[in-house]
Amino acid sequence: MTGTGHNTRKDAAEPGGSGREQRSRHRARGEERRGEILGAALEVIAERGYRGATLGTVAERVGITQQGLLHYFPTKESLLVGVLRIRDDWDTGGAVSRKDFGDSPWPLANLETLVEYNVMRRGVVQTFSALLGESVTEDHPAGAYFRERYRWARAGAEATLRREFGDRLPNGLTPERAAPLLIAVMDGLQFQWLHEPAGADDSGAGGAGVDMSRAFRDFLDLLYGTSRDAGGD
């Protein structure tokens, strides 16, 4: 009887440990589901663009109800910000903390590669640009994301320019002053390219659209103070 009572008390003490395990599994499953939703959202954005990425479409892709999706992402904006955070992790290589991005500067050539890669993912660039434009309104749910992003992006750009040029660029600007210009060109080119990519002009106005990769290389030539494209016009 004593042995049985001892086992009973031991078993009674186990639900606490079992409960912790259940909570851990529940959290892991929740993170897994969030990942599935974000992956589906990326697919839908790539296929249908920013406006086509409705909560209902994403939920259907995952195999859950829209109400179930809202448990993880209460608004479309929160879902799209989640997608952009994944994009940022990819773009910084995953191994680099966004907040510490300035401590691990990229070579300037990596930014050229990033711009070329963005040409191949129009839907994600469209999502970024649309949310960026909307986020300047007061209390927009994506505002905090973009403010944080621009802080670490400027720090990263400054570190990249300092790595490339030292304390002064050939034109005399410091990396600190040139960093916002670098970010502005990258984001501004995206808006122009989304409106009129190279080869897409049918207005008859004589424009040829924007070759985003080429335009960014031209900007870097301005920073270097010389043309690096021997075959250029």
Side-chain angles (χ1 to χ4, degrees):
M1 295 293 292
T2 303
T4 302
H6 175 74
N7 289 338
T8 300
R9 288 192 298 272
K10 180 180 178 181
D11 291 342
E14 286 179 351
S18 177
R20 286 192 292 271
E21 291 174 1
Q22 289 177 359
R23 288 192 295 272
S24 178
R25 287 196 296 270
H26 180 73
R27 284 194 297 270
R29 179 55 184 157
E31 288 303 311
E32 181 181 352
R33 178 63 83 184
R34 283 177 61 88
E36 291 172 355
I37 293 170
L38 291 171
L42 276 167
E43 291 177 359
V44 172
I45 288 169
E47 295 168 7
R48 307 189 184 189
Y50 168 72
R51 293 196 179 279
T54 65
L55 294 178
T57 302
V58 174
E60 182 179 359
R61 183 69 59 94
V62 179
I64 61 177
T65 65
Q66 183 168 327
Q67 192 64 34
L69 185 150
L70 292 173
H71 173 73
Y72 298 94
F73 298 96
T75 65
K76 179 179 179 179
E77 288 81 6
S78 65
L79 173 61
L80 296 180
V81 167
V83 168
L84 294 178
R85 289 190 185 279
I86 287 181
R87 186 198 77 152
D88 290 338
D89 286 337
W90 287 350
D91 289 353
T92 58
V96 180
S97 167
R98 290 190 297 271
K99 291 182 179 179
D100 299 328
F101 194 42
D103 297 330
S104 303
W106 279 5
L108 198 52
N110 282 24
L111 296 182
E112 290 188 69
T113 302
L114 178 59
V115 172
E116 292 168 0
Y117 180 44
N118 281 340
V119 172
M120 298 186 289
R121 51 178 184 174
R122 179 181 177 87
V124 174
V125 173
Q126 186 184 59
T127 297
F128 172 88
S129 299
L131 277 181
L132 174 59
E134 294 173 0
S135 69
V136 298
T137 57
E138 187 174 359
D139 296 327
H140 190 277
Y145 161 77
F146 281 106
R147 286 190 293 274
E148 176 195 3
R149 184 185 186 279
Y150 274 124
R151 290 186 193 110
W152 63 255
R154 286 193 299 269
E158 178 182 347
T160 289
L161 293 169
R162 194 174 303 280
R163 166 182 173 150
E164 193 78 16
F165 299 108
D167 291 336
R168 292 279 176 179
L169 278 66
N171 58 24
L173 281 179
T174 63
E176 181 181 13
R177 290 181 59 189
L181 304 180
L182 177 58
I183 302 300
V185 168
M186 294 184 72
D187 289 354
L189 279 174
Q190 289 182 164
F191 277 104
Q192 296 185 58
W193 172 75
L194 287 168
H195 278 291
E196 192 176 27
D201 179 39
D202 58 0
S203 65
V210 174
D211 181 336
M212 186 160 64
S213 299
R214 175 63 183 272
F216 186 66
R217 290 196 299 271
D218 289 343
F219 173 72
L220 293 186
D221 285 347
L222 291 176
L223 296 185
Y224 282 104
T226 182
S227 175
R228 299 164 300 135
D229 185 359
D233 295 335

